[in-house]
Amino acid sequence: MLDKMRKMGFVLDISVYGVLLEELCKNKEIEKAMQLYEDMNDSGICPNIKILIYDLISCVRDERDMIRIVEDRYESLDLKARLILYISMLKGLDNNGSTDKAYHLLCASTGLESAGDFNEGSLFFMKELACPDTVSFKLVVDGLCWADRLETALGLFRDMDRISCKCSVLLYNNLIDSLSRSGRFDECFELLNEVKQSEFQPTHYTYNSIFGCLCEQGDDKGTLAMVREMSVHGHQPWIKYYTLFMKKLCKDGRAAKASNFLADMVQEGFLPDVVGYSVNL
């Protein structure tokens, strides 16, 4: 249809290209999408921010394509659009499994030292960016956590203070969750105390991240201590975690401890559901 429109002399505007690019990207027909993008450039039609970010950058898998898209249009964008494009590129690298490159790119564009190098030719468009924001750091920290690069994730989290980049409760929560899953409870509680002393407050997710991992390990003292702290701060222990904990106690021949744990929960103001009681039957 596009070829027919061209042959018949129709003037193709950005709306026509936009519809086609959106559908090609949805269908993961990346090669055709990039060819159409090149056709737009050759026709002198500038893609808008939606096409650049939400269609192209979000779906391309080849790093060279990402760089080419950014290189073509970066200079014509205002600072806000540049930051959005920058965040999209970090997200694209993470989605492609290139977490290291996202990390090195973030470090290079903020003046932080990293343990590796990023192709300097890919960084030209970062030079005028004053400082990536909290969202940029969250994307990379989350990617490092998923890749089980906890030391690097913690280091980058601490570096945020050095460049005066504001933290967020989501960043704290995701780090606490990842550390809990790795059994690094000392660092979890250190971060939990930091949240309490910061402008933020721990959420039900913060507490349950630690509570769930203590339950999985069958730590009866740690689990009860966390239940008591959650009670003080008005947060409910999640059913799936304390049910798992009681099942584990019963399986290990500690049914009496499971029963005592139920009683302790009631004493702290939490009424377990029927599943919790049935575990002990």
Side-chain angles (χ1 to χ4, degrees), residues 136-187:
S136 308
F137 277 90
K138 182 183 178 302
L139 277 170
V140 179
V141 169
D142 287 354
L144 290 168
C145 286
W146 276 108
D148 201 25
R149 299 275 306 282
L150 292 181
E151 291 300 331
T152 306
L154 277 170
L156 187 59
F157 177 74
R158 297 303 182 196
D159 282 336
M160 291 178 71
D161 280 339
R162 289 172 49 193
I163 62 170
S164 302
C165 184
K166 189 176 181 180
C167 192
S168 72
V169 71
L170 286 175
L171 259 169
Y172 274 112
N173 281 352
N174 291 347
L175 274 170
I176 287 171
D177 181 60
S178 296
L179 289 167
S180 297
R181 292 176 189 277
S182 297
R184 297 168 62 166
F185 290 107
D186 287 345
E187 289 159 299

Side-chain angles (χ1 to χ4, degrees), residues 50-176:
K50 177 190 176 298
I51 290 174
L52 284 175
I53 295 172
Y54 299 107
D55 293 334
L56 288 171
I57 290 289
S58 63
C59 74
V60 295
R61 291 293 177 263
D62 192 319
E63 233 173 277
R64 291 166 298 181
D65 287 338
M66 280 187 195
I67 293 167
R68 194 168 75 215
I69 292 166
V70 174
E71 192 174 20
D72 285 342
R73 297 299 168 194
Y74 184 76
E75 292 297 330
S76 64
L77 301 174
D78 60 26
L79 187 59
K80 183 179 178 181
R82 288 180 182 184
L83 183 55
I84 294 171
L85 192 58
Y86 173 80
I87 290 170
S88 298
M89 189 154 186
L90 289 176
K91 192 172 184 178
L93 289 169
D94 268 340
N95 290 341
N96 294 345
S98 302
T99 305
D100 273 347
K101 290 181 179 178
Y103 167 64
H104 297 319
L105 179 57
L106 178 63
C107 289
S109 55
T110 52
L112 297 171
E113 293 182 3
S114 67
D117 297 319
F118 195 91
N119 181 5
E120 180 64 24
S122 304
L123 293 174
F124 74 97
F125 61 95
M126 306 299 171
K127 300 304 184 183
E128 296 176 22
L129 200 59
C131 182
D133 63 359
T134 307
V135 176
S136 308
F137 277 90
K138 182 183 178 302
L139 277 170
V140 179
V141 169
D142 287 354
L144 290 168
C145 286
W146 276 108
D148 201 25
R149 299 275 306 282
L150 292 181
E151 291 300 331
T152 306
L154 277 170
L156 187 59
F157 177 74
R158 297 303 182 196
D159 282 336
M160 291 178 71
D161 280 339
R162 289 172 49 193
I163 62 170
S164 302
C165 184
K166 189 176 181 180
C167 192
S168 72
V169 71
L170 286 175
L171 259 169
Y172 274 112
N173 281 352
N174 291 347
L175 274 170
I176 287 171

Side-chain angles (χ1 to χ4, degrees), residues 226-232 234-237 242 262-273 277:
M226 183 54 65
V227 166
R228 287 171 175 161
E229 182 163 354
M230 292 171 79
S231 175
V232 169
H235 293 292
Q236 183 86 19
Y242 68 71
L262 275 178
D264 289 330
M265 284 192 65
V266 172
Q267 186 175 350
E268 293 300 324
F270 301 118
L271 185 62
D273 69 348
Y277 283 106

Side-chain angles (χ1 to χ4, degrees), residues 15-47:
S15 61
V16 175
Y17 281 106
V19 169
L20 288 170
L21 279 168
E22 182 178 358
E23 291 306 313
L24 288 171
C25 291
K26 280 182 181 177
N27 293 333
K28 307 299 181 186
E29 297 182 70
I30 310 304
E31 189 175 336
K32 289 181 180 178
M34 287 303 298
Q35 182 57 55
L36 194 59
Y37 171 70
E38 294 297 340
D39 290 346
M40 284 184 69
N41 286 336
D42 293 342
S43 301
I45 298 173
C46 294

